[in-house]
Amino acid sequence: MRTVELGRTGLRVSELGLGLASLGGMFAAVPQRQAVATIDRAWELGVRLFDTAPVYGYGLSEQRAGLALRGRPRDEFVLCTKVGRLIEPGGPDVQPIWADPPAGMGPRLDYSYDATIRSFEASLERMGIDRVDVLHIHDPELDFTTASTEAFRALVDLRGRGTIRAISLGVNHADVAARFLRETTGVDVILLAGRYNLLDQSGADELLPLCEQLGVAVLAAGVFHGGVLADTADGAPHGYERVPQDVLRRIDVLREVCHAYDVPLLAAAVQFPLTHPAVPAVLVGARSPREIAEVAAWHEYEVPDAFWTALDRV
């Protein structure tokens, strides 16, 4: 699998990265053995970029990342996690999407300097790995003022000590990331979920040009738009109560272009973000070794240049 420079960080990453939210039990429980086998299969396929977070299964995702990765040569992969929530007994900021979280544990939102350092140290302990390469401030819009001052200052200090290599934001909102970049100096990476894919390209309005101008690398996640591109049955739950008709019509158009050029829709979905110069890599989720193998095959599918030209016209 191809590796690329991650912006100005000095890190090299595989073009395809594995996001570990699903392996923390997002929407449905995943057995530990299956989770570890999925990471192992990703490694066999050449994936060397792994992204987790404390809130993913309230520590479960990080624990499983550690089980699968801590025996690997540390300089051969790039590990990302997040700050902004502490996982603690009775943590009140729970999310209903986690299928099998540890009993009695929950997240507590806290972007203060001390909490950021504690969150980072707790992540290292859960994973049993000595360092994190990319540290994201997770969902900074939930307390933008504190996230952009105290949490950011903590990450600057960690990077200055060589404890992390890169400062990042993990966001679902492109405008929040753009504001953060305008109001601070020193962000290296943006993890942008769901805002630069075949169905939603709002990230290209302001954020991606700004990142290109500043030399900030963008990791594109949510390439299947919450699963809508993988399963477009009317009424299917993909973050919508019902998939809107205009989205279904857009997918029909995309399928027509894909058919004309003999390109699988999901191959186009995986590769589309990589056509932007600010995006060196994409992050995908997987629940099983079979799923990550399928996505890796879509990533490697040879898409003709004429397809992207035709896509620009629809």
Side-chain angles (χ1 to χ4, degrees), residues 3 12-14 43 46-50 72-79 131 133:
T3 62
R12 288 192 69 85
V13 298
S14 52
W43 185 277
V47 173
R48 295 295 184 270
L49 171 63
F50 301 91
R72 309 283 185 183
R74 186 61 190 87
D75 291 338
E76 293 186 14
F77 64 93
V78 170
L79 179 61
R131 73 173 190 270
D133 300 294

Side-chain angles (χ1 to χ4, degrees), residues 80 132 139 153 162 174 182 216 223 237 251 295 314:
C80 317
V132 166
D139 299 331
R153 179 166 57 88
R182 289 193 303 267
V216 174
V223 299
I251 293 173
V295 178
V314 299

Side-chain angles (χ1 to χ4, degrees), residues 96-119:
I97 62 174
W98 305 109
D100 191 24
M105 301 296 287
R108 178 172 62 81
L109 199 70
D110 194 335
Y111 295 94
S112 68
Y113 183 99
D114 289 344
T116 299
I117 299 297
R118 292 206 313 275
S119 175

Side-chain angles (χ1 to χ4, degrees), residues 202-215 276 278:
S202 57
D205 295 341
E206 178 185 12
L207 178 61
L208 266 63
L210 182 59
C211 288
E212 189 176 6
Q213 174 189 335
L214 297 175
H276 195 287

Side-chain angles (χ1 to χ4, degrees), residues 235-250:
H238 296 293
Y240 305 99
E241 290 187 5
R242 297 178 68 84
V243 179
Q245 286 299 316
D246 61 332
V247 173
L248 294 172
R249 285 192 293 269
R250 174 63 179 169

